[in-house]
Amino acid sequence: FACRGAACYRLPGPRGPLCVFRNQLPRRNDTYPAEPPPEEPPPGLATAAPPLRLGSGAALCRVCGCLGPRVCGSCRRAAYCGPQHQALDWRRGHRRSCGKHAAGDDSADAIPEHNEFLFPEYEILIEPEEPEFPADSSIDPSDEQGAAATSKDPKEQGELRATGSAAFQSLDEETLEAMAKHETEEDKIFQMFKERVAAEPEQIIRYCRGGEGPIWVSSENIPDEKDIPNCSCGAKRIFEFQIMPQLLNHLQVDSLGESIDWGTLVVYTCADNCGGGNEYLEEFIWKQDFSAGS
């Protein structure tokens, strides 16, 4: 969950106005059917029809989707989490549709669109990442340092080192200083990030639970192990997935003044999968910007 307000992203703390929750229902449960719904709509169903309110289960707020214990006093069907969202929905259209319930108009149950603070929904396509190099390739042929490091001939190693040293000695001090400034640690980290995502520049999530760690956009504000709190059950949290900056292009949050922003959002979850799937448990999210001054 994330706030749309750009001002909230200047709040202190590693996560800003962000929070993440985990819920792991088993395949067979009392909330969802065990089998997924068909991908194609039933014959004769209009694809452009607005989504209808769920016919069973807990009543959910028409505005935000949270638990809705409050109902409209007139139609007794529209549920809300509180008076603020009830008033908002009334001003945005429920006052016109409220009386349609008595006439049996199904469109009165349609979920309204509140784009001023709800993010648009999309389908996420999941694909495995192709290896950066073929399995039988251990180095980049264009990398001289890699070639030197893997050469078994001591004489050849010495010649390569001598060639590199002579090349640097031939450069004047001003050029070397400019190169050093250009090739800072920050540049290296960001360059690695760009090269890694270049194969799939449209990706919005990188998932690798318990395996390879996240790819960072900056050398600053990288958490240490002590910065990642243990789960409420006492188990350590491990890296599960990261949200990429490309997602910002799809959230419709740009504004003339300022907009929400991040370099990457990294999510750490309980290594023991505690909770039994019956409740939402808060996990840990770390927000990293492209640089400390951004």
Side-chain angles (χ1 to χ4, degrees), residues 27-96:
R27 180 174 179 180
R28 300 191 179 279
N29 60 81
D30 297 331
T31 305
Y32 303 107
E35 299 299 329
E39 295 186 4
E40 298 297 327
L45 181 65
T47 57
L52 300 181
R53 188 182 63 176
L54 293 176
S56 62
L60 304 179
C61 175
R62 279 166 48 89
V63 175
C64 65
C66 295
L67 191 64
R70 190 186 186 97
V71 296
C72 173
S74 177
C75 67
R76 309 297 298 177
R77 296 185 65 179
Y80 302 99
C81 61
Q84 294 85 359
H85 283 182
Q86 183 176 2
L88 175 64
D89 190 39
W90 182 261
R91 295 194 302 268
R92 295 302 177 95
H94 184 60
R95 71 168 73 190
R96 296 186 297 272

Side-chain angles (χ1 to χ4, degrees), residues 218-267:
S218 170
S219 61
E220 301 175 343
N221 195 31
I222 296 178
D224 294 325
E225 186 175 350
K226 60 180 177 58
D227 296 322
I228 303 171
N230 290 343
C231 178
S232 57
C233 72
K236 288 186 175 297
R237 284 192 172 100
I238 59 175
F239 168 68
E240 181 156 353
F241 65 93
Q242 68 182 117
I243 301 174
M244 310 298 283
Q246 179 66 24
L247 181 61
L248 291 165
N249 295 335
H250 303 284
L251 295 185
Q252 302 175 10
V253 293
D254 292 334
S255 62
L256 294 177
E258 54 186 5
S259 178
I260 67 175
D261 193 20
W262 61 70
T264 188
L265 305 176
V266 184
V267 174

Side-chain angles (χ1 to χ4, degrees), residues 57-254:
L60 304 179
C61 175
R62 279 166 48 89
V63 175
C64 65
C66 295
L67 191 64
R70 190 186 186 97
V71 296
C72 173
S74 177
C75 67
R76 309 297 298 177
R77 296 185 65 179
Y80 302 99
C81 61
Q84 294 85 359
H85 283 182
Q86 183 176 2
L88 175 64
D89 190 39
W90 182 261
R91 295 194 302 268
R92 295 302 177 95
H94 184 60
R95 71 168 73 190
R96 296 186 297 272
S97 63
C98 185
K100 296 180 180 180
H101 290 283
D105 188 350
D106 290 339
S107 65
D109 277 344
I111 301 172
E113 293 185 1
H114 295 289
N115 295 326
E116 69 272 16
F117 60 90
L118 292 182
F119 296 117
E121 294 185 359
Y122 297 93
E123 179 183 8
I124 298 178
L125 302 179
I126 303 175
E127 297 178 348
E129 184 179 50
E130 296 296 330
E132 189 174 0
F133 301 109
D136 58 347
S137 175
S138 58
I139 62 169
D140 184 349
S142 63
D143 185 355
E144 283 191 4
Q145 291 182 346
T150 56
S151 175
K152 295 182 180 180
D153 188 348
K155 182 179 180 181
E156 184 179 354
Q157 288 184 357
E159 291 175 352
L160 285 169
R161 293 194 190 98
T163 302
S165 300
F168 275 100
Q169 290 173 1
S170 65
L171 298 175
D172 56 64
E173 185 175 348
E174 184 177 352
T175 303
L176 288 172
E177 185 176 356
M179 290 174 61
K181 288 182 178 179
H182 177 72
E183 192 66 14
T184 61
E185 185 65 23
E186 186 77 8
D187 292 331
K188 292 179 181 178
I189 295 291
F190 185 58
Q191 185 63 31
M192 289 173 59
F193 177 84
K194 291 196 300 182
E195 291 176 355
R196 190 64 182 271
V197 302
E200 297 291 341
E202 295 297 315
Q203 61 185 307
I204 60 170
I205 291 176
R206 295 181 61 86
Y207 187 93
C208 188
R209 186 176 191 271
E212 179 185 358
I215 54 174
W216 301 101
V217 300
S218 170
S219 61
E220 301 175 343
N221 195 31
I222 296 178
D224 294 325
E225 186 175 350
K226 60 180 177 58
D227 296 322
I228 303 171
N230 290 343
C231 178
S232 57
C233 72
K236 288 186 175 297
R237 284 192 172 100
I238 59 175
F239 168 68
E240 181 156 353
F241 65 93
Q242 68 182 117
I243 301 174
M244 310 298 283
Q246 179 66 24
L247 181 61
L248 291 165
N249 295 335
H250 303 284
L251 295 185
Q252 302 175 10
V253 293
D254 292 334

